[in-house]
Amino acid sequence: AQSVTQLGSHVSVSEGALVLLRCNYSSSVPPYLFWYVQYPNQGLQLLLKYTSAATLVKGINGFEAEFKKSETSFHLTKPSAHMSDAAEYFCAVSSNTGNQFYFGTGTSLTVIP
Amino acid sequence: NAGVMQNPRHLVRRRGQEARLRCSPMKGHSHVYWYRQLPEEGLKFMVYLQKENIIDESGMPKERFSAEFPKEGPSILRIQQVVRGDSAAYFCASSVDRPPYEQYFGPGTRLTVT
């Protein structure tokens, strides 16, 4: 069975600083990987997805993530944090057959003015 | 293309009543997933359905909870004899039946049991 680990349930950054949210997965076969964002009292919104086309994936709102097979990681980054980035972020992995979809426990991002 | 629709957005039930949560997937999506989220907690998978079939219900409590996705109409998550511990946000997601199977989420139904 696959699993997803998000290191750091809470991350705080200053406005304008680099955002780095960590995600590691466990899988013997490169899966499909996703990052979602959840703003307060809303559903999850897809930020970006990895489908093996390119290891560096660009998403919405200036976020990007890099798939590193050797490290089984898919960390989310943004060069400069905005106040509007404050939200909960979830990493997820899908099996190749799509029958299983696993979410990490989430990382709450706080942006300090 | 309308997104995933969920209704009601807010639902208040007294202990012992039934709660019915509805989810209409995105057009062309044949897979539906239900999740529960408690305050300050992550998403908990409940059930995965395709039309007229339950594929995986490993996250569903054994009693009082049931789900269906009929040939026509929305998917329904039904909670019988609700208790205070059922108070949570319930999210529905849908996907197509081809890689990478990304899920698109509805806005959620916030259930409050009084």
Side-chain angles (χ1 to χ4, degrees), chain A residues 10 32 34 36 38 40-46 49-51 88 90 94-101 103-106, chain B residues 9 31 33 35 37 40-45 48 50 55-56 91 95 97 99-108 110:
Chain A
H10 297 275
Y32 302 112
F34 311 86
Y36 288 83
Q38 183 182 29
N41 299 315
Q42 295 186 26
L44 276 69
Q45 179 183 0
L46 183 65
K49 61 186 176 185
Y50 167 74
T51 61
E88 189 85 16
F90 292 93
S94 168
S95 66
N96 286 337
T97 58
N99 282 343
Q100 294 173 329
F101 208 94
F103 281 89
T105 51
Chain B
R9 293 292 308 277
H31 296 198
Y33 312 78
Y35 296 87
Q37 186 176 42
E40 305 300 319
E41 293 188 18
L43 286 171
K44 300 295 184 187
F45 166 78
Y48 161 37
Q50 295 179 19
I55 306 303
D56 181 355
F91 291 97
S95 74
D97 187 19
Y101 308 104
E102 70 262 36
Q103 297 184 11
Y104 292 88
F105 281 76
R110 278 154 183 83

Side-chain angles (χ1 to χ4, degrees), chain B residues 10 34 36 40 52 72 77 102 107-108:
Chain B
H10 300 275
W34 285 95
R36 178 164 62 179
E40 305 300 319
E52 300 184 283
E72 302 291 338
L77 179 67
E102 70 262 36

Side-chain angles (χ1 to χ4, degrees), chain A residues 18-110:
Chain A
L18 171 72
V19 176
L20 170 61
L21 304 182
R22 300 177 186 274
C23 174
N24 288 86
Y25 65 93
S26 65
S27 173
S28 58
V29 177
Y32 302 112
L33 292 156
F34 311 86
W35 275 99
Y36 288 83
V37 60
Q38 183 182 29
Y39 299 102
N41 299 315
Q42 295 186 26
L44 276 69
Q45 179 183 0
L46 183 65
L47 265 180
L48 49 78
K49 61 186 176 185
Y50 167 74
T51 61
S52 77
T55 56
L56 183 62
V57 181
K58 294 188 184 298
I60 61 172
N61 301 338
F63 283 94
E64 61 183 35
E66 186 173 8
F67 172 72
K68 292 187 177 180
K69 183 179 177 181
S70 61
E71 299 177 6
T72 59
S73 69
F74 190 57
H75 301 331
L76 182 71
T77 60
K78 182 173 180 178
S80 176
H82 294 169
M83 296 298 295
S84 60
D85 294 328
E88 189 85 16
Y89 292 81
F90 292 93
C91 182
V93 59
S94 168
S95 66
N96 286 337
T97 58
N99 282 343
Q100 294 173 329
F101 208 94
Y102 300 95
F103 281 89
T105 51
T107 297
S108 176
L109 176 66
T110 300

Side-chain angles (χ1 to χ4, degrees), chain B residues 19-38:
Chain B
R20 281 187 180 233
L21 287 61
R22 288 177 290 278
C23 169
S24 297
M26 287 179 69
K27 186 178 180 180
H29 286 197
S30 57
H31 296 198
V32 166
Y33 312 78
W34 285 95
Y35 296 87
R36 178 164 62 179
Q37 186 176 42
L38 292 168

Side-chain angles (χ1 to χ4, degrees), chain B residues 9-114:
Chain B
R9 293 292 308 277
H10 300 275
L11 182 61
V12 179
R13 285 287 179 265
R14 291 196 181 94
R15 280 179 296 170
Q17 291 184 320
E18 178 180 287
R20 281 187 180 233
L21 287 61
R22 288 177 290 278
C23 169
S24 297
M26 287 179 69
K27 186 178 180 180
H29 286 197
S30 57
H31 296 198
V32 166
Y33 312 78
W34 285 95
Y35 296 87
R36 178 164 62 179
Q37 186 176 42
L38 292 168
E40 305 300 319
E41 293 188 18
L43 286 171
K44 300 295 184 187
F45 166 78
M46 299 182 74
V47 62
Y48 161 37
L49 310 104
Q50 295 179 19
K51 284 283 187 183
E52 300 184 283
N53 282 308
I54 296 175
I55 306 303
D56 181 355
E57 56 181 347
S58 58
M60 287 274 274
K62 293 286 188 286
E63 298 177 351
R64 302 188 298 107
F65 285 73
S66 63
E68 62 177 10
F69 188 18
K71 187 176 180 180
E72 302 291 338
S75 175
I76 306 285
L77 179 67
R78 181 182 178 203
I79 311 172
Q80 295 178 290
Q81 300 175 337
V82 296
V83 300
R84 288 223 171 102
D86 296 333
S87 295
Y90 292 83
F91 291 97
C92 168
S94 70
S95 74
V96 295
D97 187 19
R98 59 180 180 272
Y101 308 104
E102 70 262 36
Q103 297 184 11
Y104 292 88
F105 281 76
T109 294
R110 278 154 183 83
L111 173 66
T112 302
V113 179
T114 61

